[in-house]
Amino acid sequence: MVESAPSTNELPPMREDWQRALAVVAHPDDMEYGAAAAVARWTSAGKEVAYVLVTRGEAGISSLPPGQCGPLREEEQHRSCAVVGVTDLSFLDHRDGLVEADLKLRADLTGAIRHHRPEVILSINHRDTWGVPGWNHVDHRHVGVALLDAVRDAANPWVFGDRGPAWEGTRFVAFGGSPQATHWVDTSATHATGMASLAEHRLYLEHVDDTPGATQQWLTDVAAEQGRRFGVDFAASFEVVPM
């Protein structure tokens, strides 16, 4: 018999009895769509969070060729990380829009996990949809699947032996914004910091927003709605996968 997922109101808060996390996402700005506010909460509490981006987001703006777009989005991500207290940012240089959950990506993610040795891994929704009509980006979906496999790979000393010593200390992977959320984080004190982190992606926001500030307002509304469900001002939800 398959157990049904708990209702949103019954979700427990995400565990915070850890010190070191690694955020792995496909593109610049992915973490800033809600999860960065949680990162700000954790870094302000003295926890260590590093970011690894699979691509440089070079194909994300139709009006800019990749050779121009990639370096600009990389600069924006560095500024965005600084806002939430993240100083360790690296890129794996897979091609934006063409990410595949293949052995090459698994090997690269295994190397990143073994290098950073995180207790917790953070990412964003890898499900087919966001719980509303529409289709999740292929890179998000493939990164999520490869990431879960890479956690297991990283713990196996006989897999990808050229990517550093095995690391089996990752306790769980938490996917922000998943329609199958299992936990939540109180971001009341750091929501504004998360929005300031998003604001550093000026080039991208100019491309996607019909009106200035539209994305920030939408994300604020989402965080406020989550907060009402859990009795706080703002919250972020995560799908936690034990490893």
Side-chain angles (χ1 to χ4, degrees):
M1 178 179 178
V2 177
E3 294 185 6
S4 60
S7 71
T8 304
N9 291 331
E10 298 171 343
L11 302 185
M14 187 167 141
R15 295 190 65 165
E16 297 181 321
D17 57 343
W18 49 269
Q19 179 60 29
R20 190 169 58 254
L22 175 65
V24 178
V25 290
H27 315 111
D29 81 62
D30 281 352
M31 284 297 292
E32 287 68 56
Y33 270 68
V39 171
R41 170 188 171 94
W42 295 322
T43 57
S44 66
K47 299 183 188 298
E48 303 168 28
V49 183
Y51 279 25
V52 169
L53 272 62
V54 174
T55 81
R56 296 179 189 265
E58 69 275 5
I61 299 177
S62 58
S63 59
L64 275 181
Q68 295 180 31
C69 185
L72 294 173
R73 297 198 71 192
E74 178 184 348
E75 291 175 9
E76 289 187 335
Q77 187 62 58
H78 276 285
R79 293 196 299 268
S80 181
C81 283
V83 172
V84 294
V86 172
T87 59
D88 191 335
L89 167 64
S90 57
F91 296 83
L92 298 180
D93 285 327
H94 287 247
R95 293 179 65 188
D96 184 15
L98 301 176
V99 174
E100 294 183 283
D102 56 12
L103 288 177
K104 175 65 165 63
L105 181 56
R106 280 174 52 192
D108 287 346
L109 293 177
T110 294
I113 293 167
R114 289 175 176 173
H115 173 73
H116 290 280
R117 303 171 73 83
E119 300 165 71
V120 171
I121 293 179
L122 311 169
S123 192
I124 66 164
N125 176 34
H126 70 294
R127 299 296 180 180
D128 287 346
T129 75
W130 293 88
V132 296
W135 192 242
N136 195 1
H137 195 293
V138 61
D139 291 353
H140 300 162
R141 292 183 281 119
H142 284 196
V143 167
V145 170
L147 181 58
L148 289 170
D149 289 335
V151 173
R152 181 173 292 168
D153 294 335
N156 188 338
W158 311 120
V159 174
F160 303 127
D162 60 336
R163 299 303 179 103
W167 170 250
E168 57 183 17
T170 299
R171 295 162 51 190
F172 60 83
V173 182
F175 295 94
S178 170
Q180 299 185 33
T182 61
H183 294 73
W184 64 280
V185 176
D186 183 355
T187 58
S188 301
T190 53
H191 174 75
T193 305
M195 290 299 96
S197 181
L198 174 65
E200 292 297 334
H201 295 278
R202 296 185 185 93
L203 187 69
Y204 186 72
L205 292 174
E206 289 174 1
H207 174 68
V208 299
D209 280 351
D210 293 328
T211 58
T215 298
Q216 287 97 323
Q217 185 58 58
W218 167 61
L219 290 172
T220 294
D221 291 344
V222 171
E225 180 183 0
Q226 293 291 319
R228 285 191 293 273
R229 290 173 174 169
F230 304 119
V232 297
D233 291 333
F234 296 104
S237 62
F238 289 83
E239 178 184 356
V240 173
V241 180
M243 302 303 300

